[in-house]
Amino acid sequence: MADAPTLIVPHAEVERLLPMAECIDVMGEALAAATRGEALLPLRQVLRLPSGRDAFALMPAILGSAIGAKVITVFPGNDATPYESHIGVILYFDDTHGRLLAIIDASSVTAIRTAAVSGLATRLLSNPGASRLALLGAGVQAMTHLEAMCAVRPIQQVAIWSRSTDRRAHFVTWARQRFALEVVACDTAADAVRGADVICTVTASRSPVLQGAWVPPGAHVNAVGASIASARELDTEAVEQSLLFVDRRESAMSEAGDFLIPRDEGAVDNAHIRGELGELVLGRVAGRTDPAQRTLFKSLGLAVEDVASARLIYERALATGAGTWIELGGLRPVP
Ligand code: NDP
């Protein structure tokens, strides 16, 4: 153990310490633990900035002996800048003396753990032979979602749509270099999802980019981009026609416009939520029972996912010597 008590783990180190396949398993364990009642997980606090669009969020959780909080800004307009739309840190503490063990880059953890949770949902809900993936959105989450989907299903063809032709063309070049896959850019979202087995919506849109009428029978949808009650990426039909699963009921009832707007319209009620991912992991609820059913996972992102990731990153960093130690404070002054 180093003399100084706090470990700083930057972006590049997080990517090495949190491999996607392992993160998917860790997310399954964390969500199952939360479902078993082994986590303290209040709803996140989101402060809206004067722009009305940007936000500052605090996401605390205690998961077993792991204590942590993600502190993050969300600036959706950053998609046209060199900066990520989610910037911040995860603070990770010990439960013996309350020491601050680590300060970890949150952009990279958010990118990886969100896709890992979608990977988990896809492993639990999509048809096993799913090989055609559609991505709506071409930002950070699109990149990690491609990796996560390839980790859980035999993906061979990828169709991507985003508004900007430049952005989707760059994505295609990147994806072809990174994965041995057939990747095509589409001019419309409807074109991208035609024939898809798995669809990931990863845009910053506040209004539907995916219509239920376009979703093929048997497809699984991960709806990731909208995380406030007034925004949605899916139209009402896409929700109504699907077996709906969420990361957490309490969060979905408070934050998921993709569910709340159809509910306000009277198209669905609370019972439309079949279960949480943790319940699926534990076998407490059934998932897909027929290959032709459409399944939908509504992702909001939970602090237990960040804290579970932080625990793994910290343990890995200790074992491998990664990160940089600093003496931040917390030691009692000696008189
Ligand atoms: P990026 O800023 O990297 O990418 C945003 C993408 O959305 C771009 O492809 C952009 O491309 C597209 N986009 C922006 N505005 C619109 C619009 N009005 N209509 C359609 N497409 C739009 O963001 P991330 O990839 O990091 O995040 C994507 C979304 O996922 C965000 O909304 C984010 O808040 C959410 N998110 C959810 C998490 C969860 O746990 N559920 C965790 C982290 C992020 P183009 O301009 O080409 O269309």
Side-chain angles (χ1 to χ4, degrees):
M1 165 69 95
D3 293 339
T6 302
L7 186 65
I8 308 284
V9 189
H11 190 123
E13 304 253 31
V14 170
E15 290 184 337
R16 283 212 306 277
L17 298 169
L18 191 64
M20 183 59 74
E22 209 166 333
C23 190
I24 292 170
D25 293 337
V26 168
M27 293 302 102
E29 289 159 20
L31 293 171
T35 292
R36 284 194 300 262
E38 296 164 12
L40 285 177
L41 184 60
L43 288 172
R44 57 187 156 208
Q45 267 200 314
V46 181
L47 309 183
R48 291 269 139 221
L49 300 180
S51 64
R53 175 111 215 223
D54 306 323
F56 175 57
L58 176 62
M59 300 172 64
I62 300 178
L63 176 65
S65 61
I67 304 171
K70 182 159 79 176
V71 183
I72 199 161
T73 54
V74 182
F75 277 60
N78 278 1
D79 63 355
T81 77
Y83 302 103
E84 293 210 28
S85 54
H86 294 66
I87 298 175
V89 293
I90 297 166
L91 304 171
Y92 180 62
F93 297 86
D94 91 13
D95 71 335
T96 307
H97 297 291
R99 289 182 306 137
L100 177 58
L101 297 175
I103 302 173
I104 301 170
D105 171 62
S107 301
S108 44
V109 173
T110 303
I112 297 165
R113 67 69 156 152
T114 306
V117 172
S118 295
L120 176 71
T122 305
R123 189 160 71 192
L124 292 165
L125 291 169
S126 70
N127 281 312
S131 63
R132 291 164 299 184
L133 170 66
L135 296 168
L136 305 186
V140 171
Q141 289 292 336
M143 296 166 81
T144 50
H145 271 73
L146 175 54
E147 185 181 0
M149 297 307 113
C150 289
V152 298
R153 286 294 181 256
I155 301 299
Q156 287 173 1
Q157 295 169 13
V158 181
I160 180 154
W161 167 83
S162 82
R163 295 169 311 176
S164 146
T165 45
D166 274 0
R167 204 192 307 274
R168 57 188 196 240
H170 279 121
F171 187 94
V172 168
T173 305
W174 170 84
R176 283 181 184 155
Q177 281 168 359
R178 177 87 195 265
F179 302 89
L181 294 170
E182 185 185 326
V183 189
V184 295
C186 298
D187 290 334
T188 68
D191 286 345
V193 304
R194 191 166 297 120
D197 303 310
V198 177
I199 301 167
C200 300
T201 61
V202 282
T203 75
S205 179
R206 293 183 152 207
S207 55
V209 292
L210 179 64
Q211 295 185 19
W214 307 337
V215 178
H220 170 71
V221 177
N222 295 306
V224 175
S227 50
I228 55 174
S230 58
R232 61 172 171 169
E233 292 182 292
L234 275 52
D235 74 356
T236 296
E237 187 181 351
V239 178
E240 199 176 5
Q241 72 189 4
S242 301
L243 306 183
L244 172 62
F245 296 83
V246 295
D247 38 20
R248 189 170 181 233
R249 275 193 183 80
E250 186 185 357
S251 300
M253 302 280 184
S254 163
E255 300 167 0
D258 281 306
F259 166 69
L260 295 170
I261 296 169
R263 191 187 69 175
D264 289 349
E265 291 171 357
V268 298
D269 59 15
N270 290 346
H272 191 64
I273 299 178
R274 296 282 177 125
E276 299 180 346
L277 279 196
E279 292 174 303
L280 272 175
V281 171
L282 293 170
R284 292 185 184 175
V285 295
R288 168 189 297 279
T289 54
D290 187 306
Q293 286 168 330
R294 296 175 178 90
T295 53
L296 167 60
F297 168 56
K298 176 55 208 157
S299 164
L300 286 164
L302 302 175
V304 286
E305 299 161 5
D306 300 306
V307 171
S309 301
R311 176 166 58 192
L312 180 68
I313 290 165
Y314 181 72
E315 286 168 0
R316 278 285 160 76
L318 285 188
T320 61
T324 305
W325 293 94
I326 60 159
E327 177 69 63
L328 190 68
L331 290 173
R332 181 179 295 277
V334 180

